[in-house]
Amino acid sequence: TKSLGAKYLEDNYRKVSLLYLFDTFGTNDNRNRVIDTFIHKVLKKEPIKLPKKDVIINVSHVSEVCEAIIDCINLPSKNYCIMSKNNLSLKNIAKQIMEIIGNTVEIEDLPNNIDFLSKLKEDNLPKNIFPTSNAISFNNHLKSRIDEIQSLHS
């Protein structure tokens, strides 16, 4: 549906910008994204299932993605990507969440997956418009999200 929507916009409007996003997380996001899933699993002391071969994802806090989208309004119509510097392995994210929460859970191996991010070549991506001026560290955003989810479990 994304491809159909993009084609429709390009065919019917003169000025179109397509934004390519990667993994996001943030306040009031209830889409069961990877970080939230890991937080819930660690809080419930349930195992986390991950591919045997570690997968790297690019993850951004939703506030930074929103800032980039707003900044994009004044840019020329063309394609852009919103990609942070946070290329993190799923195992490291899970371990970081365990460390912050203070619970350790088992990490179970699943059959291997394809690591799509490692196959991307940044020079083939559209111009990156990720905001760098007011970026808060991934760790601070992660702690904030953990606090929010912990309050729901209390």
Side-chain angles (χ1 to χ4, degrees):
T1 58
K2 292 176 192 174
S3 297
L4 290 173
K7 176 141 180 52
Y8 173 82
L9 291 172
E10 289 171 334
D11 290 347
N12 292 289
Y13 295 91
R14 288 183 310 127
K15 295 182 176 185
V16 174
S17 291
L18 298 179
L19 302 176
Y20 296 86
L21 305 175
F22 296 87
D23 290 290
T24 61
F25 73 102
T27 306
N28 297 320
D29 185 348
N30 299 312
R31 297 175 294 155
N32 293 321
R33 306 298 293 189
V34 68
I35 289 180
D36 287 5
T37 299
F38 288 0
I39 293 169
H40 288 289
K41 293 275 189 187
V42 173
L43 288 171
K44 294 176 184 175
K45 298 183 180 179
E46 297 175 353
I48 295 174
K49 296 178 182 183
L50 296 175
K52 191 179 293 187
K53 180 180 177 199
D54 209 2
V55 173
I56 306 296
I57 64 171
N58 182 273
V59 65
S60 303
H61 190 268
V62 70
S63 63
E64 294 161 326
V65 172
C66 290
E67 183 181 337
I69 292 169
I70 291 168
D71 291 346
C72 175
I73 292 170
N74 296 319
L75 295 175
S77 297
K78 64 179 194 175
N79 297 342
Y80 300 97
C81 76
I82 301 173
M83 184 178 196
S84 74
K85 294 183 180 179
N86 302 319
N87 291 333
L88 306 167
S89 78
L90 292 178
K91 280 189 178 128
N92 285 342
I93 292 170
K95 289 176 182 176
Q96 194 171 354
I97 290 169
M98 286 186 249
E99 185 177 311
I100 292 169
I101 292 175
N103 288 347
T104 302
V105 301
E106 183 181 352
I107 294 179
E108 297 178 358
D109 286 338
L110 294 173
N112 281 336
N113 280 15
I114 298 171
D115 186 350
F116 290 104
L117 190 61
S118 67
K119 294 183 180 303
L120 279 179
K121 299 203 180 339
E122 285 193 42
D123 52 342
N124 292 339
L125 292 173
K127 180 182 177 185
N128 188 4
I129 58 168
F130 189 82
T132 56
S133 57
N134 298 327
I136 297 173
S137 78
F138 171 79
N139 198 42
N140 288 342
H141 282 308
L142 184 58
K143 286 178 182 175
S144 179
R145 185 62 178 152
I146 289 170
D147 289 344
E148 180 183 359
I149 291 174
Q150 277 182 315
S151 71
L152 297 174
H153 282 262
S154 299

